[in-house]
Amino acid sequence: MSKRIVIVSGGKLEESVCLPILEGQKEGYIIGVDRGLEFLYQHQIMPDYIVGDFDSVKKEVVDYYREETHAGIREYNPVKDASDTEIAIRLAMTLGGTDLVILGATGGRIDHLWANVQSLAIPFKAGVHAEILDSQNRIFLLGEGETHIKKSEAYGPYFSVFPLGDEVFGFTIEGAKYPLHDHVLTPYNSLCVSNEIAGEEVVISFTTGIVILMETRDKE
């Protein structure tokens, strides 16, 4: 049975994106991460767990969750070997999450964003789907094989692909404005940035490796 877990991290949190997801979360869990707690507090949305070192969230907010709620608390020393969001991802997996939605993972410091993108590999390697979501971007990982992206279901008109780590062999894109066939996709180049779905769907396939897929749209 599918179990969606929503992680609310401390980056940019847009009401238009976050509130429909959080208010529609009837099953599964909500995990508030450090400064993301302030968004939940302001909108009176109760998390099932709160996670972090709480060094960037108002004391009265943390005190409220400690003293007035039954939320599970996972507090860590600021001197630690993983980001708060990574810790929340690992917690979500131990709770049996099969579909993770990470909000507030973008819009702030680039180092935090890149750490969050790389952390997607943790659930991916365990067979758990996880995606980072904001008003302009949906980011998730793909493994070897064939993936179909329908135009009607895509997050936006553009998509970009980047290798996660090593070279990706046999990389092929069909049904796109810029097709590619049996290519060796290497790190550190921008060949597959801002492609577009040309027909009803795009098919991405490759024989080895992992890629980051970003479905994107311009700011309204």
Side-chain angles (χ1 to χ4, degrees):
M1 181 180 294
S2 176
K3 180 187 288 186
R4 185 176 76 166
I5 296 181
V6 180
I7 296 171
V8 183
S9 197
K12 184 178 181 181
L13 292 161
E14 302 151 298
E15 291 182 350
S16 61
V17 175
C18 299
L19 291 182
I21 293 172
L22 291 166
E23 291 170 353
Q25 182 73 352
K26 305 303 182 184
E27 299 179 356
Y29 300 101
I30 295 173
I31 301 176
V33 183
D34 212 70
R35 193 167 57 187
L37 291 175
E38 295 187 6
F39 182 88
L40 296 173
Y41 179 80
Q42 290 165 4
H43 293 88
Q44 299 181 343
I45 296 172
M46 182 58 61
D48 297 284
Y49 294 88
I50 66 174
V51 170
D53 51 35
F54 307 132
D55 62 349
S56 60
V57 59
K58 294 176 182 176
K59 182 178 182 299
E60 58 265 32
V61 173
V62 178
D63 288 345
Y64 167 76
Y65 287 112
R66 288 188 199 279
E67 300 167 10
E68 305 293 335
T69 78
H70 297 290
I73 300 173
R74 302 289 189 273
E75 185 171 2
Y76 296 86
N77 190 308
V79 181
K80 57 187 185 300
D81 295 330
S83 70
D84 291 333
T85 302
E86 179 184 330
I87 292 170
I89 289 171
R90 293 185 182 277
L91 172 61
M93 293 170 63
T94 66
L95 294 171
T98 58
D99 183 17
L100 312 185
V101 178
I102 307 170
L103 307 173
T106 64
R109 285 169 42 183
I110 296 298
D111 54 343
H112 288 173
L113 167 62
W114 189 237
N116 293 336
V117 171
Q118 292 192 117
S119 292
L120 292 175
I122 299 166
F124 176 82
K125 291 180 178 180
V128 174
H129 177 77
E131 62 183 40
I132 291 170
L133 198 66
D134 65 21
S135 64
Q136 292 181 258
N137 310 280
R138 178 165 62 190
I139 306 170
F140 55 99
L141 303 186
L142 296 178
E144 59 192 52
E146 189 172 282
T147 300
H148 294 247
I149 305 171
K150 295 184 181 297
K151 191 171 188 176
S152 60
E153 299 173 359
Y155 201 65
Y158 310 107
F159 69 94
S160 299
V161 184
F162 306 93
L164 183 64
D166 298 328
E167 295 177 329
V168 175
F169 293 92
F171 187 79
T172 297
I173 301 176
E174 299 173 304
K177 182 176 181 179
Y178 306 108
L180 203 58
H181 180 70
D182 198 23
H183 182 74
V184 179
L185 192 62
T186 60
Y188 326 121
N189 72 50
S190 56
L191 174 66
C192 292
V193 172
S194 291
N195 209 334
E196 298 179 42
I197 301 174
E200 294 302 314
E201 70 173 14
V202 158
V203 180
I204 298 174
S205 61
F206 50 97
T207 56
T208 60
I210 301 172
V211 301
I212 304 164
L213 177 64
M214 299 184 180
E215 297 179 0
T216 59
R217 57 197 184 200
D218 291 321
K219 190 173 182 178
E220 296 180 354

